[in-house]
Amino acid sequence: MSENQTVKIDGSENLFVGVEEASREAKAAMTAEDQEWWQHEVTARMKRLAGYMTAGMPVNAPEVQAELDIHYASICRFWVPSAVAYKGLGQSYVDDHRFRRACDRIAGGLAAYQRDAMAVYADAWLR
């Protein structure tokens, strides 16, 4: 399968196998129920973003930015990024093949779309 093919994700499967090492310490503090909830929420959020992207919605659309507000809040469970750091995280979703593959398994180009939406969010709301 090429990186740009779309794959349907029907459940809350963990799309981040291989990426989780980056937040191992914070994750270790999570209960099994917390981890299951987090995996479900991340997958659901990515599917919603993919829907906005495939519908042609711009990254600055209120619906997209509302998803990014939820994303930012979930990241803050692990650390509180500044605007620069949040943009850097978004760029890592594209640059790190593990993140990119996880995002793009839902829809080709989703990693870049999320990066761009994160940059808009950071510029609007973070310091």
Side-chain angles (χ1 to χ4, degrees):
M1 171 173 42
S2 77
E3 285 187 10
N4 291 327
Q5 285 182 304
T6 301
V7 175
K8 283 193 169 212
I9 305 296
D10 293 324
S12 61
E13 69 183 280
N14 186 358
L15 298 173
F16 293 96
V17 172
V19 175
E20 292 172 343
E21 296 82 24
S23 61
R24 182 175 285 136
E25 184 177 308
K27 185 179 175 195
M30 296 171 75
T31 66
E33 287 126 3
D34 288 340
Q35 290 180 33
E36 184 178 336
W37 174 87
W38 179 80
Q39 290 172 4
H40 174 76
E41 288 301 311
V42 168
T43 302
R45 187 177 329 108
M46 290 172 67
K47 288 170 67 175
R48 288 189 299 268
L49 277 176
Y52 297 143
M53 180 187 76
T54 59
M57 196 171 284
V59 295
N60 64 347
E63 298 88 345
V64 174
Q65 289 301 297
E67 288 298 329
L68 270 293
D69 192 47
I70 295 166
H71 178 261
Y72 184 77
S74 73
I75 295 298
C76 288
R77 287 186 68 183
F78 302 97
W79 64 296
V80 180
S82 66
V84 170
Y86 193 61
K87 287 179 182 182
L89 178 62
Q91 186 62 48
S92 76
Y93 291 165
V94 174
D95 293 345
D96 186 309
H97 71 278
R98 297 166 298 177
F99 281 110
R100 186 177 61 250
R101 184 173 39 241
C103 293
D104 290 353
R105 280 183 60 202
I106 293 176
L110 182 57
Y113 183 81
Q114 183 167 348
R115 175 205 54 211
D116 296 348
M118 289 171 72
V120 169
Y121 183 89
D123 288 341
W125 298 104
L126 306 178
R127 291 179 182 223

